[in-house]
Each structure stands twice: as C-alpha cells, then as structure tokens.
Amino acid sequence: MADKVLAGGKLSVELLHKGYDGPAVSIPMLGLGVYQVPPRDASQATKLALETGYRHIDSAALYRNEQAVGRAVRESGIPREQIFVTTKVWNSDQGYQNTLRAFDRSLNELGLGYVDLYLVHSPMPAESRLDTWKAMEDILRSGKAKAIGVSNYGVHHLKELFANCKIRPSVNQIQLHPFGTHEQLVKFCEKEGIVLEAYSPLTQGRRLNDRTLVKIAKEYNKSPAQILIRWCLQKNFVVLPKSVTPQRILENSQVFDFNISDENMAKLDGLDEGWYCGWDPTLER
C-alpha cells in the first residue's frame, strides 16, 4: 500500500555523519509528527499512518507518547527495519550523563530495541549542549541510534558544535514553511551536508487561508496543506505534518503525484515574512 500512496517523487534521502564511518541510513521524506498528541490518539494516528503507507514517525520525550508510538509500531505487522522512528532528548535532560539516562528511558518507553534517529530537542540550556552532544556521539557509536542530529539549532549553534565535536549531526529539525523560510540557516545546512526536517509545515493551521496559497492550491486541485507539504518536498526538506484525523493523514500523503511549477514556487517563496508559530529557539544564545 505504501508504494501506491507514496508513488512518484523522491521518497527518501541519505543521512551523513561527518566524522563517523557507520552504515548508511536513509530517512523517508514524509513523516507523521505527533507533537502534543495524547497517547491514545498518538497510537491511533500512528496505526492509521502506517496503514496508509507512512514509514516515518517523529516523537519526543517531551510529547509523552513514546510508549503509544512504540506499541503501534510493534503491532503494525510491518518489519521494524522498514519503519523510521525518531525521538528527542528534552532540555531538562541535557548534559552527558543525563542524556544517556534520557535515551535509555526513551528506548524503554518505545520498546523497539533501537531508534533510527535521536535528536537534541533544542540548543538550551547553553551550558549543557556540548556535553549533551558528547553523549549523542556515544549513543551513535553504540548502535542503539542509527543516526543523530539536532533540532532548533541556528547557524551560531551549529558553528559552535562543529568546533567542539568529533561527529557532526546529520539532521537539523526546524520550523519551515513559506511564511518563515529560514533562508540563511537552510543555505548553511545544505552547504554542510545537514538534512533539514520541517516541523509545523502546515503553520499549525494558522495560515491555511492565505490568499496566494489558496489560489495555488485550486490551480492544482489540491488542498492548501498539500501545497505546503509539496513545497517542503521540492525544497528537499523532510516534512513532518501532524494530524490525528484519518482523512487528513491520507490527504497529507497524497503529495507525490504533482509538481509545483517554478513560477508558483517563487510565489510561495515570496510569502516569507520571517513568521514563526510560537517561539523560535534558533535565535537563542
């Protein structure tokens, strides 16, 4: 079923870790986000997404739904190696030993034996993040995480990390959509071989009625949400739309059967106003 739903287009991208000669890891370009989704709903949404054809689920310790996600993955009947699972270490668990303990808790909650990607959830607190990354490197070497990366890191955070690490992150997960493109940060990550993951690509629903977006969506007979997801994919961003509604989970996956023209991509790029739904940790010290 996955091939039918996700037919056409680029379905995955390889993750690279400069400084680490481990096995290659590919991440599906489309994933399901479960931020602020209660455990029962997270379990149902994960099951629906996997049935629909998704093979990538993005959770975090902060979300308090790792156990539900892990159970849904185990009960799906899909071989474990075919599902890409991400979780993250939260700010209050940063530091070397704290991060190791937090990872073990997450692994226990998920009940999956390993995670495909482990992320530092944000660059705070500043005084702990370098020690946190040393733990991340050890977790990668252990094989219990197939890849490691960061989330909400700005250019200055990444430069600091590069100057103090042995293994570079493979991913930076940040908020990305046409209304807030993080152009300089995106260019920096692309230059350094770091894959960008887009969270809140649907603007948490706040900009779906934008006149330009709605007009473009009608041109392709697609929803505004599908246009936002497709915009991310054509930018080579891994994209993580969130939904617990069966119809929307399906709709959000139906984005591989069309291409947005260069002209319309430019119009979408023109919507950038540095807008961010919520707090922007990439600007923190």
Side-chain angles (χ1 to χ4, degrees):
M1 188 167 187
D3 291 340
K4 293 179 182 178
V5 175
L6 305 181
K10 187 177 180 182
L11 301 185
S12 65
V13 63
E14 188 172 341
L15 299 180
L16 303 173
H17 291 100
K18 187 175 180 180
Y20 178 68
D21 190 24
V25 177
S26 291
I27 184 170
M29 294 289 287
L30 177 68
L32 177 75
V34 293
Y35 172 57
Q36 289 185 330
V37 179
R40 182 175 178 179
D41 292 341
S43 179
Q44 284 299 109
T46 300
K47 287 177 182 177
L48 280 167
L50 294 173
E51 289 169 5
T52 300
Y54 291 70
R55 291 296 179 266
H56 178 182
I57 310 295
D58 182 90
S59 185
L62 177 68
Y63 306 168
R64 300 185 183 278
N65 54 26
E66 291 170 310
Q67 189 176 83
V69 166
R71 183 169 59 251
V73 169
R74 293 194 306 275
E75 294 176 356
S76 69
I78 299 166
R80 169 69 185 92
E81 63 273 14
Q82 293 181 18
I83 303 174
F84 194 99
V85 178
T86 299
T87 193
K88 311 174 190 79
V89 56
W90 180 237
N91 301 355
S92 58
D93 287 321
Q94 289 214 34
Y96 182 81
Q97 291 295 341
N98 286 345
T99 297
L100 295 178
R101 285 191 287 266
F103 178 75
D104 285 342
R105 282 197 303 272
S106 287
L107 208 57
N108 184 61
E109 288 288 297
L110 287 162
L112 296 176
Y114 68 93
V115 298
D116 297 275
L117 177 63
Y118 196 48
L119 300 180
V120 182
H121 208 139
S122 92
M124 278 86 63
E127 60 272 15
S128 301
R129 60 183 175 235
L130 292 178
D131 286 336
T132 297
W133 190 253
K134 288 182 173 63
M136 299 290 285
E137 292 178 333
D138 285 346
I139 289 166
L140 178 66
R141 293 187 191 100
S142 76
K144 293 179 181 179
K146 303 300 182 184
I148 54 173
V150 295
S151 183
N152 295 305
Y153 270 48
V155 172
H156 58 297
H157 301 129
L158 291 167
K159 285 182 175 179
E160 175 196 67
L161 182 56
F162 293 170
N164 292 277
C165 70
K166 294 181 179 177
I167 303 171
R168 288 192 177 190
S170 62
V171 163
N172 189 14
Q173 185 181 120
I174 61 175
Q175 186 177 140
L176 285 167
H177 42 65
F179 305 96
T181 62
H182 277 300
E183 185 177 354
Q184 294 306 313
L185 177 54
V186 166
K187 286 181 179 178
F188 180 83
C189 289
E190 289 174 345
K191 177 176 175 288
E192 298 296 338
I194 295 174
V195 169
L196 287 147
E197 284 191 291
Y199 72 75
S200 296
L202 307 184
T203 70
Q204 297 180 8
R206 298 182 197 179
R207 305 300 291 269
L208 294 179
N209 293 323
D210 176 85
R211 184 177 301 178
T212 300
L213 176 60
V214 169
K215 184 178 180 182
I216 291 172
K218 287 180 179 176
E219 184 176 333
Y220 294 93
N221 195 29
K222 292 290 184 178
S223 70
Q226 288 172 315
I227 295 298
L228 291 176
I229 294 168
R230 185 68 204 178
W231 178 86
C232 287
L233 293 171
Q234 287 184 213
K235 294 283 186 179
N236 287 320
F237 304 152
V238 173
V239 60
L240 303 168
K242 166 194 162 184
S243 182
V244 297
T245 306
Q247 180 55 37
R248 288 180 180 167
I249 288 173
L250 174 61
E251 179 185 284
N252 290 344
S253 74
Q254 295 172 330
V255 289
F256 292 89
D257 59 349
F258 75 106
N259 281 294
I260 302 172
S261 69
D262 290 345
E263 179 184 1
N264 282 329
M265 286 294 286
K267 288 178 182 177
L268 291 168
D269 290 345
L271 297 175
D272 183 31
E273 55 191 61
W275 181 82
Y276 210 89
C277 39
W279 150 69
D280 185 358
T282 66
L283 302 177
E284 296 288 336
R285 69 178 180 90

